[in-house]
Amino acid sequence: MQLNQAVSARLKELLQARGMTQYQLYMKSGVPKSTIGNVINCAYDSVKLRIIHELCQGMGISISEFFASSLFEETNLEP
């Protein structure tokens, strides 16, 4: 799995776990709806850490919590 796919999958997991929509995340994080959609749809080859940080703030979690997933284990990511 590529890193942008792992970020997308993790964001979807976290939104579902919190019962949040992309719109609600936009309202809480200030990250544009189009950017959230692009992250989820893997439209970007990479996602800036600043964007991930703002998304985390909107969900009320830390960056370390975001990356605390087996999705980000080195054995699951393509080089």
Side-chain angles (χ1 to χ4, degrees), residues 16-30:
Q16 184 176 12
R18 284 161 178 70
M20 286 181 77
T21 64
Q22 292 180 38
Y23 180 79
Q24 289 169 322
L25 181 57
Y26 148 70
M27 293 299 291
K28 290 186 177 199
S29 69

Side-chain angles (χ1 to χ4, degrees), residues 12-47:
K12 288 180 207 174
E13 277 180 2
L14 291 166
L15 286 174
Q16 184 176 12
R18 284 161 178 70
M20 286 181 77
T21 64
Q22 292 180 38
Y23 180 79
Q24 289 169 322
L25 181 57
Y26 148 70
M27 293 299 291
K28 290 186 177 199
S29 69
V31 175
K33 291 178 286 188
S34 59
T35 300
I36 295 170
N38 286 336
V39 170
I40 286 181
N41 295 319
C42 298
Y44 300 134
D45 289 334
S46 62
V47 181

